[in-house]
Amino acid sequence: MNESGYNMGGGVKQSQAVTVADVSKRSGLSTATVSRVLNNSPLVREQTKAKVLEAMRELGYTANHSARALARKRTDTIGVIFPGIDAGFFSEVLIGVNQLASENDMHLAVAFARNKPEEAQMVSEYLYGGRVDALILMNLRIDDKFIREAAMAPTPMVLIDRPAKDARLVTVRMDNAAGAEEAMTHLLDLGHRRIAVIRGPQGTFDSDERWLGCLQAMKRSGVKPDPELIWEGTFHDHSGYEAMSSWLDAGKPLPEAIFALNDPMAIGVLEALTERGLRVPDDVALVGFDDIESARYLGLTTVSSPMRGLGRTACQAVVELLEGAPRRPKEHVLPTELIVRRSTMIAGSP
Amino acid sequence: MNESGYNMGGGVKQSQAVTVADVSKRSGLSTATVSRVLNNSPLVREQTKAKVLEAMRELGYTANHSARALARKRTDTIGVIFPGIDAGFFSEVLIGVNQLASENDMHLAVAFARNKPEEAQMVSEYLYGGRVDALILMNLRIDDKFIREAAMAPTPMVLIDRPAKDARLVTVRMDNAAGAEEAMTHLLDLGHRRIAVIRGPQGTFDSDERWLGCLQAMKRSGVKPDPELIWEGTFHDHSGYEAMSSWLDAGKPLPEAIFALNDPMAIGVLEALTERGLRVPDDVALVGFDDIESARYLGLTTVSSPMRGLGRTACQAVVELLEGAPRRPKEHVLPTELIVRRSTMIAGSP
DNA sequence: ATGAAAGCGCTAACAT
DNA sequence: ATGTTAGCGCTTTCAT
């Protein structure tokens, strides 16, 4: 020990410096009263409260989180679990979650699951481990069965970007289909007919819904989807690059427009085109989805995804549940917005 | 209660479903033994261990985090505090931190502080509240005095992108000066002499260091900095746009090159130039700093900041401290890397 | 190798 | 309005 009273060696922790007992002794009040002050109970006289606070200040008291959590059965913490950390927009969603969490004096425990088994295990641990008061799950790939069971746990749970099937859960998602339909309609209104679509990975919720939106728009305009113009991608930029490159290498004719179901793939397409001296929108119109930062800089027409809104809405729902709102299934669907930029502006038209 | 045994009403929480006591009863072993199994103690016979595990499985036991933390005085959690959430690269740093944390079976508590007082309060709460075993602080604006005091706390702390002055702390940062010097030298080697520099906000650690690197490079090449060509920015893209626009609006001649001390400002400059039909690098060379995603797509020459590395290194240091490494001051300086792209490629040169 | 029991620091009846 | 005390669920001596 040194003069400051703290052990400065390695990672060794000694017992907590100051406890309610210390404050109790110092102030001459009981631990119960100290606790009451800590919890802003109205049953303490201003004068005693002042005494306690003074003692706390003098001793440099900070309440022990684990002890409080154990006794109160609440942690004032919301858990947020994301799928593999490179899953794109986690940071935007997290910003949204945090905004509402901090407004409600809630802390955040953030975890990233790398694979399906880990996801399920993490969810279990958080649900039943008393580490958090509630859980927000982003786009996880867990079985419906597991989700249904988890929905019965005492810890409330909100799902982002993943349907809940028949589990009695609050879910938050964006209107992928409407967004895609709007973008596709935009291209059709521009007079384009031979429109290629680059989809995301098979079975991805977002990709599937966006594709449905495309079909819907084509149907309404009486345009039949051409199987040749349905390209498969992975949501990564290089898959857009690959798709475009191999199409051109095969000597096939440019479509009139290309709709990549997310921005990175659209940007990959753009690179492949640029490399060959082809120009957007002069030679081909291009649309993406999500409105990532780069889309703005590149002048890419795209559909804006309400990522922060998803986070905020999910967290809002969690807070309400924690405040006692009845647990009934509810699906929040946030709107997207078409952002028209250079990549679909017709050059010479009057 | 319903048949699942859980209360499905509002946010009400009842006592934890299954406890060590339950497992103890079910398995016929004492709670001590159950605890030993939970902690992988070697002092339990394989056979009894199996019995306990079986009971746990049957009952669906999950250990209570707060209770463990209270008893063991460890949380297996690392706290990460960021300044205001829009502070750019938090997500990349967080990815790095998480990589190492999960490799070491550590959880993450993430918090964002909006202002200085909140920062200090958060740090105190995390340092002394027993909520986390260690703390990683990113680029916070707290007083040196506070930091020095905090460094004495039992909870170890690592600072990212902020010097520790005389506090006995581990700090992690990137070599801003060397990065800027390399970029500037690149421009000078290209033959440019009239080089404008857009700085970041006054007093920012990153901005100041990068500027020093610029000066260093100029000095070595015998180029005197021209006050007219030192522009002030805010690190936001619009400030780059503004600086460039007002320069051109004033009818002043283009410099030969522009070095924006971060990418967003460089991109702002690019937009202002493009709007006026000026071209990069034909009319003016352009360099940024950080290598954000958009830089690649826009062909912007820039200096790559090792954001994930900062996170990883900081977390690594934390883990070592928790494992008992002596607490001595150490400054990790991670290298940057110059990424040359189109924006500084000389067009017609052989 | 296993058990009994005393805490960890705080909260929440219950009592006064 | 304040104090007493019994937990919260788990770990950890100390016995055996």
PDB file of all heavy atoms in Angstrom, chain B residues 227-239:
ATOM      1  N   PRO B 227       1.288  31.354 -44.274  1.00  0.00           N
ATOM      2  CA  PRO B 227       0.114  31.498 -43.401  1.00  0.00           C
ATOM      3  C   PRO B 227      -1.197  31.511 -44.169  1.00  0.00           C
ATOM      4  O   PRO B 227      -2.215  31.027 -43.692  1.00  0.00           O
ATOM      5  CB  PRO B 227       0.352  32.843 -42.718  1.00  0.00           C
ATOM      6  CG  PRO B 227       1.820  33.088 -42.817  1.00  0.00           C
ATOM      7  CD  PRO B 227       2.283  32.416 -44.073  1.00  0.00           C
ATOM      8  N   GLU B 228      -1.160  32.053 -45.365  1.00  0.00           N
ATOM      9  CA  GLU B 228      -2.367  32.098 -46.197  1.00  0.00           C
ATOM     10  C   GLU B 228      -2.866  30.691 -46.516  1.00  0.00           C
ATOM     11  O   GLU B 228      -4.045  30.482 -46.790  1.00  0.00           O
ATOM     12  CB  GLU B 228      -2.018  32.795 -47.525  1.00  0.00           C
ATOM     13  CG  GLU B 228      -2.319  34.263 -47.540  1.00  0.00           C
ATOM     14  CD  GLU B 228      -3.518  34.539 -48.448  1.00  0.00           C
ATOM     15  OE1 GLU B 228      -3.358  34.300 -49.658  1.00  0.00           O
ATOM     16  OE2 GLU B 228      -4.576  34.949 -47.946  1.00  0.00           O
ATOM     17  N   LEU B 229      -1.935  29.754 -46.544  1.00  0.00           N
ATOM     18  CA  LEU B 229      -2.295  28.395 -46.947  1.00  0.00           C
ATOM     19  C   LEU B 229      -2.546  27.468 -45.756  1.00  0.00           C
ATOM     20  O   LEU B 229      -2.599  26.259 -45.891  1.00  0.00           O
ATOM     21  CB  LEU B 229      -1.213  27.815 -47.857  1.00  0.00           C
ATOM     22  CG  LEU B 229      -1.122  28.496 -49.230  1.00  0.00           C
ATOM     23  CD1 LEU B 229       0.028  27.921 -50.051  1.00  0.00           C
ATOM     24  CD2 LEU B 229      -2.443  28.351 -49.992  1.00  0.00           C
ATOM     25  N   ILE B 230      -2.656  28.067 -44.580  1.00  0.00           N
ATOM     26  CA  ILE B 230      -3.049  27.270 -43.418  1.00  0.00           C
ATOM     27  C   ILE B 230      -4.515  27.557 -43.145  1.00  0.00           C
ATOM     28  O   ILE B 230      -4.879  28.643 -42.696  1.00  0.00           O
ATOM     29  CB  ILE B 230      -2.206  27.647 -42.189  1.00  0.00           C
ATOM     30  CG1 ILE B 230      -0.724  27.467 -42.496  1.00  0.00           C
ATOM     31  CG2 ILE B 230      -2.604  26.771 -40.998  1.00  0.00           C
ATOM     32  CD1 ILE B 230       0.192  28.047 -41.433  1.00  0.00           C
ATOM     33  N   TRP B 231      -5.359  26.602 -43.460  1.00  0.00           N
ATOM     34  CA  TRP B 231      -6.794  26.804 -43.301  1.00  0.00           C
ATOM     35  C   TRP B 231      -7.283  26.082 -42.058  1.00  0.00           C
ATOM     36  O   TRP B 231      -6.807  24.998 -41.725  1.00  0.00           O
ATOM     37  CB  TRP B 231      -7.550  26.282 -44.547  1.00  0.00           C
ATOM     38  CG  TRP B 231      -7.076  26.906 -45.832  1.00  0.00           C
ATOM     39  CD1 TRP B 231      -6.304  28.023 -45.975  1.00  0.00           C
ATOM     40  CD2 TRP B 231      -7.318  26.425 -47.156  1.00  0.00           C
ATOM     41  NE1 TRP B 231      -6.059  28.283 -47.297  1.00  0.00           N
ATOM     42  CE2 TRP B 231      -6.672  27.316 -48.052  1.00  0.00           C
ATOM     43  CE3 TRP B 231      -8.027  25.333 -47.687  1.00  0.00           C
ATOM     44  CZ2 TRP B 231      -6.700  27.152 -49.436  1.00  0.00           C
ATOM     45  CZ3 TRP B 231      -8.064  25.180 -49.070  1.00  0.00           C
ATOM     46  CH2 TRP B 231      -7.410  26.081 -49.938  1.00  0.00           C
ATOM     47  N   GLU B 232      -8.277  26.693 -41.421  1.00  0.00           N
ATOM     48  CA  GLU B 232      -8.792  26.073 -40.208  1.00  0.00           C
ATOM     49  C   GLU B 232     -10.082  25.307 -40.512  1.00  0.00           C
ATOM     50  O   GLU B 232     -10.982  25.830 -41.165  1.00  0.00           O
ATOM     51  CB  GLU B 232      -9.071  27.129 -39.127  1.00  0.00           C
ATOM     52  CG  GLU B 232      -7.843  27.943 -38.731  1.00  0.00           C
ATOM     53  CD  GLU B 232      -6.736  27.108 -38.096  1.00  0.00           C
ATOM     54  OE1 GLU B 232      -7.051  26.037 -37.525  1.00  0.00           O
ATOM     55  OE2 GLU B 232      -5.551  27.510 -38.180  1.00  0.00           O
ATOM     56  N   GLY B 233     -10.160  24.092 -40.047  1.00  0.00           N
ATOM     57  CA  GLY B 233     -11.372  23.279 -40.238  1.00  0.00           C
ATOM     58  C   GLY B 233     -11.846  22.704 -38.929  1.00  0.00           C
ATOM     59  O   GLY B 233     -11.295  23.026 -37.864  1.00  0.00           O
ATOM     60  N   THR B 234     -12.851  21.858 -39.009  1.00  0.00           N
ATOM     61  CA  THR B 234     -13.435  21.296 -37.786  1.00  0.00           C
ATOM     62  C   THR B 234     -13.374  19.771 -37.786  1.00  0.00           C
ATOM     63  O   THR B 234     -13.932  19.124 -36.900  1.00  0.00           O
ATOM     64  CB  THR B 234     -14.917  21.674 -37.675  1.00  0.00           C
ATOM     65  OG1 THR B 234     -15.608  21.089 -38.793  1.00  0.00           O
ATOM     66  CG2 THR B 234     -15.096  23.180 -37.685  1.00  0.00           C
ATOM     67  N   PHE B 235     -12.727  19.202 -38.804  1.00  0.00           N
ATOM     68  CA  PHE B 235     -12.712  17.746 -38.998  1.00  0.00           C
ATOM     69  C   PHE B 235     -14.018  17.240 -39.620  1.00  0.00           C
ATOM     70  O   PHE B 235     -14.176  16.053 -39.852  1.00  0.00           O
ATOM     71  CB  PHE B 235     -12.426  16.978 -37.699  1.00  0.00           C
ATOM     72  CG  PHE B 235     -10.947  16.763 -37.439  1.00  0.00           C
ATOM     73  CD1 PHE B 235     -10.505  16.314 -36.196  1.00  0.00           C
ATOM     74  CD2 PHE B 235      -9.994  16.985 -38.423  1.00  0.00           C
ATOM     75  CE1 PHE B 235      -9.148  16.107 -35.942  1.00  0.00           C
ATOM     76  CE2 PHE B 235      -8.639  16.780 -38.178  1.00  0.00           C
ATOM     77  CZ  PHE B 235      -8.223  16.341 -36.945  1.00  0.00           C
ATOM     78  N   HIS B 236     -14.984  18.146 -39.844  1.00  0.00           N
ATOM     79  CA  HIS B 236     -16.211  17.719 -40.531  1.00  0.00           C
ATOM     80  C   HIS B 236     -16.105  18.034 -42.016  1.00  0.00           C
ATOM     81  O   HIS B 236     -15.445  18.999 -42.410  1.00  0.00           O
ATOM     82  CB  HIS B 236     -17.423  18.446 -39.956  1.00  0.00           C
ATOM     83  CG  HIS B 236     -17.727  18.051 -38.551  1.00  0.00           C
ATOM     84  ND1 HIS B 236     -18.182  16.803 -38.228  1.00  0.00           N
ATOM     85  CD2 HIS B 236     -17.606  18.729 -37.388  1.00  0.00           C
ATOM     86  CE1 HIS B 236     -18.335  16.723 -36.919  1.00  0.00           C
ATOM     87  NE2 HIS B 236     -17.987  17.876 -36.382  1.00  0.00           N
ATOM     88  N   ASP B 237     -16.778  17.245 -42.846  1.00  0.00           N
ATOM     89  CA  ASP B 237     -16.624  17.439 -44.284  1.00  0.00           C
ATOM     90  C   ASP B 237     -17.038  18.833 -44.731  1.00  0.00           C
ATOM     91  O   ASP B 237     -16.403  19.431 -45.586  1.00  0.00           O
ATOM     92  CB  ASP B 237     -17.348  16.348 -45.082  1.00  0.00           C
ATOM     93  CG  ASP B 237     -18.807  16.226 -44.720  1.00  0.00           C
ATOM     94  OD1 ASP B 237     -19.242  16.933 -43.807  1.00  0.00           O
ATOM     95  OD2 ASP B 237     -19.503  15.430 -45.366  1.00  0.00           O
ATOM     96  N   HIS B 238     -18.094  19.363 -44.114  1.00  0.00           N
ATOM     97  CA  HIS B 238     -18.532  20.678 -44.610  1.00  0.00           C
ATOM     98  C   HIS B 238     -17.500  21.764 -44.354  1.00  0.00           C
ATOM     99  O   HIS B 238     -17.450  22.749 -45.064  1.00  0.00           O
ATOM    100  CB  HIS B 238     -19.900  21.049 -44.037  1.00  0.00           C
ATOM    101  CG  HIS B 238     -19.925  21.162 -42.554  1.00  0.00           C
ATOM    102  ND1 HIS B 238     -20.466  20.185 -41.750  1.00  0.00           N
ATOM    103  CD2 HIS B 238     -19.442  22.115 -41.735  1.00  0.00           C
ATOM    104  CE1 HIS B 238     -20.320  20.548 -40.488  1.00  0.00           C
ATOM    105  NE2 HIS B 238     -19.693  21.706 -40.454  1.00  0.00           N
ATOM    106  N   SER B 239     -16.661  21.560 -43.356  1.00  0.00           N
ATOM    107  CA  SER B 239     -15.648  22.596 -43.105  1.00  0.00           C
ATOM    108  C   SER B 239     -14.598  22.576 -44.221  1.00  0.00           C
ATOM    109  O   SER B 239     -14.036  23.618 -44.576  1.00  0.00           O
ATOM    110  CB  SER B 239     -15.005  22.417 -41.733  1.00  0.00           C
ATOM    111  OG  SER B 239     -14.046  21.378 -41.725  1.00  0.00           O
TER     112      SER B 239
END
